[in-house]
Amino acid sequence: MTARLPAAERMTGEGTVPDWAAVRDGLTQAKSFWLATVRPDGLPHLRPLLCAWLDDALHVCSNPSARKAKNVDGGSAAAIGTSCPRFDVVVEGPAERVTDVAALRRIADAFRDKYSWPVVERDGALDAEYAAPTAGAPPFAAYTVTPVTAFVFPTAEGLAPTRWRFG
């Protein structure tokens, strides 16, 4: 799959706009993520979770009965944040449940490779011998968050706060 190259714009201040490849690498390598969704009553909902960058999108999983899964299944968009060595990243976009078996297998492979978590595709969901600390009990619904906007907030000198818009 060809990587989508977003358009970058400096938000404020001085510094260099980070290269999108560096941000993408940060998303690929980061281990801890936070997912923000919106509850049906309009209140925010924020939870830590495992996340994998694959095919130009972020992928997460959850027990379908968990609040974060219910929010996404109810139409909530998502924001996912993480910290990288030189910057923090926030990715915003629609979240959609993944049901395609081949896609679920690729997501399971990504979680196994990244976290050494023995998750597999089984019966149209993700399953594992034990639960991830943030996913609840198996089986797990998988979700793809496709970036519409991404932000970098520098934590090191020389970088500029940057917004990327995906076309």
Side-chain angles (χ1 to χ4, degrees):
M1 175 176 263
T2 303
R4 295 185 312 152
L5 294 176
E9 63 181 278
R10 178 190 321 274
M11 292 182 346
T12 61
E14 302 287 321
T16 303
V17 170
D19 182 62
W20 176 249
V23 177
R24 190 181 61 236
D25 289 347
L27 290 167
T28 301
Q29 296 167 14
K31 298 285 186 176
S32 297
F33 293 81
W34 290 85
L35 171 72
T37 59
V38 178
R39 299 173 194 260
D41 62 6
L43 292 173
H45 184 74
L46 181 67
R47 291 293 184 265
L49 77 170
L50 304 180
C51 189
W53 179 264
L54 176 69
D55 297 333
D56 292 329
L58 291 168
H59 302 275
V60 300
C61 66
S62 175
N63 180 287
S65 67
R67 171 49 48 205
K68 61 185 174 262
K70 289 179 180 180
N71 292 347
V72 171
D73 287 337
S76 175
I80 297 178
T82 190
S83 289
C84 300
R86 297 187 65 218
F87 47 79
D88 294 334
V89 183
V90 175
V91 174
E92 299 174 336
E96 296 180 6
R97 188 184 281 217
V98 178
T99 57
D100 177 76
V101 170
L104 287 167
R105 288 180 181 151
R106 288 181 38 76
I107 293 167
D109 290 345
F111 279 120
R112 260 194 325 278
D113 292 346
K114 184 172 187 175
Y115 296 102
S116 299
W117 181 36
V119 64
V120 296
E121 181 279 329
R122 184 174 292 126
D123 300 325
L126 298 180
D127 199 2
E129 295 174 22
Y130 58 88
T134 61
F140 310 105
Y143 298 90
T144 297
V145 177
T146 304
V148 171
T149 309
F151 299 90
V152 159
F153 302 96
T155 57
E157 301 249 351
L159 296 178
T162 304
R163 174 187 300 118
W164 283 272
R165 296 182 195 270
F166 293 77

